[in-house]
Amino acid sequence: MAAGNEQTIEVEVVEIDGVAVVPRPVKGETPNTRGRIDWTAWQGRVRRLDARWWPLWLVLGTIFLVLAVVVGICCAVVLVAWQIFKAILKLIGK
């Protein structure tokens, strides 16, 4: 065999001398919790916001407040313009 043509063989050990080999859990996982999410850790976090995110919530809240005020003012301008237009049509119609 040439040095450039080395073959790598990957093998999964299933049994050694008649004894089944149990794979090791990955970084602290227990075999019965693989793929499961521990929702009990979120119990207290759902009710309170993480303090690290307050700048984001402040910015988003400010943007929301500005947008709400702008939409409110636009609605008020349209309403006042409609009222003026109706009053002008009533004066012309008399």
Side-chain angles (χ1 to χ4, degrees), residues 53-67:
W53 292 95
W54 74 264
L56 173 68
W57 297 122
L58 182 67
V59 169
L60 290 177
T62 304
I63 291 171
F64 176 75
L65 183 64
V66 167
L67 285 175

Side-chain angles (χ1 to χ4, degrees), residues 60-83:
L60 290 177
T62 304
I63 291 171
F64 176 75
L65 183 64
V66 167
L67 285 175
V69 169
V70 167
V71 168
I73 290 173
C74 288
C75 289
V77 167
V78 168
L79 184 65
V80 168
W82 176 251
Q83 295 292 331

